[in-house]
């Protein structure tokens, strides 16, 4: 069975780079009828917070990415880590190191002065004398002192690390007893049965250390996939300046989970030239062996395009429900079908959609003066008056086509072009010359509101 996981450190919000590897892990587990676990890596008490962990869980809920089983919190697992550390001590695969802070920094300085790699010198590796007094020892693992460690990576191929260049007997438990990052990641992945690790390639250099832990504890190695970073247009690592990176900000900006996930799946993975993927398709088609070897480029236009696509294809009832998250309640609006049909074609985000809806529902409080100059020439006021009278006299005004007929009657009777009524009417209804079809606008706001807006414009411009 394929078991994957997402293992964020709750130091802040959920980053979209993290979400992308989470999505890959999720898809791969689902595709194989496997399991996708969520593990919160909260051992760093100074940098982690409960709020950040909760924010991550919230983001997952919003996106509809369900994890299997309980969420595992590393902060609850000290006893488990202690047990495995003890095992390594008992087996002589780890040892107490009594080097003081001062001694360690002295060693560093000497190595730096000699332009050598800074590393532990193995002083206590085979120590069997009497430990120095007054020093709480750290615990170090015995790393290989020669040879190589190969990460068999599903994206990058075999990545060979020379033991001499990268390894030393790294600390697995600090003097205060707290276990270190690479140790707990390896222990947890092994105990959770994670056999496919998909994560950012910023973790590649940690992997040989984790492999040492796996091997020392006799755990089977998982398959690794290290996914190249997401870059901005300048080829640099994505940062706040390139737009939002906090997943929940995408929600605030009015992106749908479908669009965001579709956008992310294409950052670093492709299937021919297909751009639109439903969740079912992603699950069916995703395979980590197709992850690109080079960094992917973040492109906001693409995200907007996808979001517009999903908005256009979302049923109105669902859109109305989504819009409540943006404080727009349409449930009791009798023409909400027409309204949503009109705006869903025009909006790139749900927030933009809310703006377009308000532009229709709320009478203009001012008029675009340049547009007024253009539209209120000649007989504009007469035309509006004639139109208003006809609207007033009609009993059956419901659909856009009903209003369209009235407009047609006016232009025919007055012998004018459609623009002569369209432009001033547009100003009257919306305050400006752009916007959706007027017949739809009138059907949405209804007969009384239509007449009121026309009267207001006449009063203002007569
Ligand atoms: N906790 C790590 C992070 O947030 C991820 C560890 C992993 O995926 O192995 O970057």
């Amino acid at each position: 069975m394929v078991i994957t996981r997402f293992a964020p450190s709750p130091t802040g919000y959920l980053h979209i780079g993290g979400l992308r590897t989470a999505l890959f892990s999720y898809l791969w587990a689902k595709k194989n009828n496997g399991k996708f676990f969520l593990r919160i890596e909260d051992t760093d008490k100074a940098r982690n917070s409960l709020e950040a962990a909760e924010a991550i869980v919230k983001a997952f809920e919003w996106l509809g990415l369900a994890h299997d089983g309980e969420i595992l919190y590393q902060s609850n697992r000290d006893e488990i880590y202690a047990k495995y550390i003890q095992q390594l001590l008992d087996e002589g695969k780890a040892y107490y190191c009594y080097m003081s802070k001062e001694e360690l920094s002295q060693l560093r300085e000497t190595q730096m002065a000699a332009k050598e790699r800074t590393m532990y010198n193995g002083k206590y590796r085979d120590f069997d004398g009497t430990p120095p007094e007054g020093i709480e020892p750290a615990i170090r693992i015995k790393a290989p002192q020669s040879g190589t460690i190969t990460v068999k990576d599903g994206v990058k191929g075999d990545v060979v690390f020379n033991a001499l260049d990268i390894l030393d007997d790294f600390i697995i438990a600090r003097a205060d007893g707290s276990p270190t990052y690479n140790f707990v990641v390896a222990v947890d992945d092994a105990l959770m049965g994670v056999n496919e690790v998909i994560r950012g390639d910023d973790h590649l250099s940690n992997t040989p250390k984790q492999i040492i832990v796996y091997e020392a504890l006799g755990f089977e190695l998982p398959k690794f996939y290290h996914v190249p970073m997401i870059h901005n247009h300048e080829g640099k690592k994505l940062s706040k300046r390139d737009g939002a990176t906090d997943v929940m900000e995408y929600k605030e900006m009015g992106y749908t989970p479908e669009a965001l996930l579709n956008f992310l799946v294409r950052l670093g993975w492709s299937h021919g030239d297909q751009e639109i993927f439903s969740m079912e398709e992603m699950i069916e088609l995703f395979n980590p062996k197709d992850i690109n070897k080079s960094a992917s480029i973040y492109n906001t236009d693409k995200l907007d395009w996808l979001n517009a696509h999903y908005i256009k294809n979302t049923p109105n009832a669902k859109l109305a429900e989504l819009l409540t998250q943006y404080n727009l309640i349409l449930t009791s609006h009798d023409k909400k079908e027409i309204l949503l049909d009109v705006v869903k074609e025009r909006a790139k985000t749900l927030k933009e959609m809310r703006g377009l809806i308000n532009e229709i529902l709320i009478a203009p409080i001012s008029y675009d003066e340049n547009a007024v100059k253009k539209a209120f020439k000649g007989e504009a006021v007469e035309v509006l008056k004639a139109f208003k009278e006809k609207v007033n006299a009609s009993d059956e005004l419901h659909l856009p086509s009903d209003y369209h007929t009235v407009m047609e009657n006016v232009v025919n009777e007055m012998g004018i072009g459609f623009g002569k009524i369209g432009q001033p009417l547009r100003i009257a209804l919306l305050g400006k010359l752009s916007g959706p079809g007027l017949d739809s606008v009138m059907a949405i706001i209804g007969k009384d509101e239509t007449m009121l807006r026309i009267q207001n414009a006449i009063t203002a411009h007569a």
Side-chain angles (χ1 to χ4, degrees), residues 5 7-9 41 181 185 199 203:
R5 51 58 163 185
S9 309
E41 305 212 312
Y181 175 71
V185 169
R199 62 183 168 204
H203 283 284

Short mmCIF file of all heavy atoms in Angstrom, two decimals, residues 5 7-9 41 181 185 199 203, ligand 1:
data_model
loop_
_atom_site.label_atom_id
_atom_site.label_comp_id
_atom_site.label_asym_id
_atom_site.label_seq_id
_atom_site.Cartn_x
_atom_site.Cartn_y
_atom_site.Cartn_z
N ARG A 5 2.61 11.33 3.14
CA ARG A 5 2.26 12.23 4.25
C ARG A 5 2.63 13.65 3.86
O ARG A 5 3.40 13.89 2.95
CB ARG A 5 2.96 11.80 5.53
CG ARG A 5 4.48 11.56 5.46
CD ARG A 5 5.26 12.70 5.01
NE ARG A 5 6.68 12.62 5.32
CZ ARG A 5 7.52 13.61 5.08
NH1 ARG A 5 7.12 14.70 4.49
NH2 ARG A 5 8.79 13.48 5.39
N ALA A 7 4.02 16.96 6.09
CA ALA A 7 4.58 17.15 7.43
C ALA A 7 5.02 18.60 7.66
O ALA A 7 6.20 18.89 7.80
CB ALA A 7 5.77 16.20 7.62
N PRO A 8 4.06 19.52 7.71
CA PRO A 8 4.45 20.92 7.86
C PRO A 8 4.93 21.28 9.26
O PRO A 8 4.49 20.69 10.23
CB PRO A 8 3.14 21.66 7.56
CG PRO A 8 2.07 20.72 7.99
CD PRO A 8 2.59 19.34 7.67
N SER A 9 5.83 22.24 9.31
CA SER A 9 6.22 22.82 10.60
C SER A 9 5.35 24.04 10.82
O SER A 9 5.31 24.93 9.97
CB SER A 9 7.68 23.27 10.55
OG SER A 9 8.49 22.22 10.09
N GLU A 41 4.86 19.04 12.53
CA GLU A 41 6.23 18.96 13.06
C GLU A 41 6.48 20.15 14.00
O GLU A 41 7.07 21.15 13.62
CB GLU A 41 7.23 18.91 11.91
CG GLU A 41 6.89 17.76 10.96
CD GLU A 41 8.08 17.12 10.28
OE1 GLU A 41 8.92 17.86 9.75
OE2 GLU A 41 8.16 15.87 10.29
N TYR A 181 15.60 17.48 14.49
CA TYR A 181 14.74 17.42 13.32
C TYR A 181 14.93 16.15 12.47
O TYR A 181 13.97 15.41 12.23
CB TYR A 181 14.98 18.69 12.49
CG TYR A 181 14.25 18.67 11.20
CD1 TYR A 181 12.87 18.82 11.18
CD2 TYR A 181 14.92 18.45 10.01
CE1 TYR A 181 12.17 18.75 10.00
CE2 TYR A 181 14.22 18.38 8.82
CZ TYR A 181 12.86 18.53 8.83
OH TYR A 181 12.17 18.44 7.66
N VAL A 185 12.01 13.10 12.04
CA VAL A 185 11.37 12.90 10.72
C VAL A 185 11.52 11.45 10.29
O VAL A 185 10.55 10.79 9.87
CB VAL A 185 11.98 13.84 9.66
CG1 VAL A 185 11.51 13.46 8.25
CG2 VAL A 185 11.60 15.28 9.95
N ARG A 199 8.50 15.64 -1.19
CA ARG A 199 8.69 16.92 -0.49
C ARG A 199 9.57 17.84 -1.33
O ARG A 199 10.13 17.43 -2.34
CB ARG A 199 9.31 16.69 0.89
CG ARG A 199 10.68 16.06 0.84
CD ARG A 199 11.19 15.78 2.27
NE ARG A 199 12.38 14.93 2.25
CZ ARG A 199 12.75 14.17 3.26
NH1 ARG A 199 12.04 14.13 4.36
NH2 ARG A 199 13.86 13.45 3.18
N HIS A 203 14.81 20.03 0.94
CA HIS A 203 15.10 19.01 1.97
C HIS A 203 16.08 17.95 1.51
O HIS A 203 16.44 17.07 2.28
CB HIS A 203 13.80 18.33 2.41
CG HIS A 203 12.99 19.18 3.34
ND1 HIS A 203 13.32 19.36 4.65
CD2 HIS A 203 11.89 19.93 3.14
CE1 HIS A 203 12.47 20.18 5.23
NE2 HIS A 203 11.59 20.54 4.33
N1 LIG B 1 8.58 19.98 8.38
C1 LIG B 1 9.26 20.18 7.13
C2 LIG B 1 8.87 21.52 6.55
O1 LIG B 1 7.86 22.07 6.91
C3 LIG B 1 8.97 19.11 6.11
C4 LIG B 1 9.63 17.84 6.42
C5 LIG B 1 9.50 16.79 5.37
O2 LIG B 1 8.65 16.91 4.47
O3 LIG B 1 10.24 15.84 5.46
O4 LIG B 1 9.59 22.03 5.72
#
